[in-house]
Amino acid sequence: QSINKLVTAVQQLQRGNLDAYVDFKDDGDFTENEFVYLYKQYNDMVNSLDQLMKRNAELARIRRISEIKLLKSQFNPHFLFNVLETLRYTMLADTKKAEQIIMTLSKLLRYSYDATEEEIPLKNDLQYTIDYLQLHKLRFQDRLNYEIHIPVNVQKAYVPKLILQPIVENSLKYGYKKKMNMNIFIKGRVDGNILILSVSDDGSGMEPEKLQELQEQLSKEENTTEQIGLFNANRRLKILYGDDFGITIHSIVNEGTEVELKMPYKTSIL
């Protein structure tokens, strides 16, 4: 009877029923201990399978939405218009620089549309982010400066693709609201087996109420704000690595904002 109960549950699971748990009562009977152990292990397996399938489904959904929304965020008409305007007057003044703009924009588009890999070396994603910043520097000139402080060993870590750019874009979008000039700093370090990346600026910053609202929104599973890049980056980290990882934001009005990303430190894809 005990074996039949387990076999029946397994057959239901084979048919796709993820609620096929074994109902049992642990009465302490010595003869039933082995079966109670099997029941518990089986139920744990079903629960893990259910959670894994939900996570995979959510990751696939977030990845699709993320790619669409991130591309919209990165290459919206406003951004492309600014790049093309810069290209138009640069072609008349400096053909070499114009060629550089075309090549950089081409690299950005190619990199963004290549969805073959979910995780890549940080070095690759960082280079993409630098190219993105260089295009903006052509627009803002001396009003924008940036610094990169990420050791070589940290750059070897594998990170989700396109994880830094939306954070940088957020700085560019909101940092200039009350400032004419801005500096952006991208840093990285390893703390034990944790990789910590940060993007900080000395831009406009956020009011405490706005910051609290944003932090509350990041903790939800659905996004209802304009903060597409931050929300998607945070959700991707949590779906990929668990709730212990994600984004933390610190901001002070008129002093700037820092976005910290925490994820496992991995030097290979398992």
Side-chain angles (χ1 to χ4, degrees):
Q1 185 178 357
S2 298
I3 293 174
N4 286 339
K5 185 187 291 188
L6 189 59
V7 169
T8 300
V10 172
Q11 288 174 337
Q12 291 179 7
L13 182 64
Q14 285 178 323
R15 297 190 191 102
N17 179 12
L18 294 178
D19 291 322
Y21 292 92
V22 175
D23 235 353
F24 68 93
K25 182 165 134 185
D26 189 356
D27 56 9
D29 185 352
F30 177 78
T31 58
E32 292 294 324
N33 279 348
E34 290 84 357
F35 286 105
V36 167
Y37 177 78
L38 285 175
Y39 294 158
K40 288 179 179 178
Q41 292 299 309
Y42 170 82
N43 285 347
D44 286 345
M45 181 194 72
V46 173
N47 187 57
S48 298
L49 182 62
D50 183 50
Q51 292 299 318
L52 180 61
M53 291 187 69
K54 285 178 180 176
R55 278 182 175 271
N56 285 341
E58 175 73 355
L59 178 57
R61 186 183 73 84
I62 288 293
R63 184 176 180 180
R64 289 195 301 271
I65 294 175
S66 175
E67 287 174 0
I68 293 171
K69 289 187 176 181
L70 281 175
L71 286 174
K72 181 180 178 182
S73 174
Q74 294 159 23
F75 301 113
N76 55 51
H78 184 65
F79 171 72
L80 287 175
F81 173 78
N82 288 330
V83 173
L84 294 175
E85 270 296 298
T86 303
L87 178 62
R88 185 172 66 86
Y89 67 72
T90 303
M91 288 178 68
L92 300 175
D94 190 336
T95 54
K96 289 286 185 183
K97 185 177 287 186
E99 182 181 353
Q100 181 186 356
I101 293 173
I102 294 172
M103 295 299 293
T104 302
L105 182 59
S106 175
K107 282 168 60 181
L108 290 177
L109 289 167
R110 190 180 303 112
Y111 182 86
S112 296
Y113 278 101
D114 180 9
T116 56
E117 296 175 302
E118 176 62 38
E119 293 179 301
I120 61 168
L122 173 58
K123 179 181 178 181
N124 296 3
D125 212 56
L126 185 61
Q127 184 56 56
Y128 168 84
T129 306
I130 291 172
D131 289 340
Y132 180 79
L133 277 165
Q134 285 179 340
L135 282 180
H136 279 282
K137 187 163 176 61
L138 288 169
R139 173 191 173 194
F140 291 107
Q141 299 292 328
D142 293 338
R143 292 175 54 208
L144 172 64
N145 291 292
Y146 62 88
E147 296 180 14
I148 312 292
H149 301 282
I150 301 182
V152 175
N153 67 306
V154 178
Q155 293 188 31
K156 294 177 182 178
Y158 275 77
V159 299
K161 187 176 181 180
L162 298 173
I163 199 65
L164 282 175
Q165 185 275 335
I167 314 301
V168 171
E169 197 235 2
N170 195 72
S171 289
L172 292 167
K173 184 176 181 180
Y174 297 101
Y176 281 105
K177 282 191 172 182
K178 299 177 183 177
K179 295 284 185 80
M180 288 296 295
N181 301 283
M182 190 168 64
N183 296 290
I184 293 178
F185 306 92
I186 301 176
K187 301 178 183 179
R189 71 182 193 275
V190 176
D191 185 2
N193 61 348
I194 304 297
L195 171 64
I196 299 174
L197 303 175
S198 68
V199 177
S200 58
D201 63 65
D202 56 0
S204 302
M206 283 184 278
E207 299 283 347
E209 298 80 11
K210 177 66 176 177
L211 177 60
Q212 183 179 352
E213 179 185 336
L214 178 57
Q215 289 171 334
E216 290 175 356
Q217 184 60 45
L218 287 177
S219 67
K220 298 179 181 178
E221 294 187 1
E222 295 292 335
N223 185 25
T224 58
T225 72
E226 296 179 354
Q227 302 285 348
I228 294 173
L230 287 179
F231 180 85
N232 279 354
N234 187 58
R235 284 295 294 161
R236 288 174 69 199
L237 290 175
K238 289 189 176 299
I239 292 298
L240 281 168
Y241 309 122
D243 291 334
D244 291 336
F245 303 96
I247 286 176
T248 305
I249 304 173
H250 306 279
S251 187
I252 300 176
V253 177
N254 294 325
E255 290 189 19
T257 301
E258 180 183 34
V259 178
E260 190 176 88
L261 303 92
K262 188 168 73 169
M263 65 199 81
Y265 176 60
K266 303 191 302 181
T267 55
S268 64
I269 299 179
L270 300 178

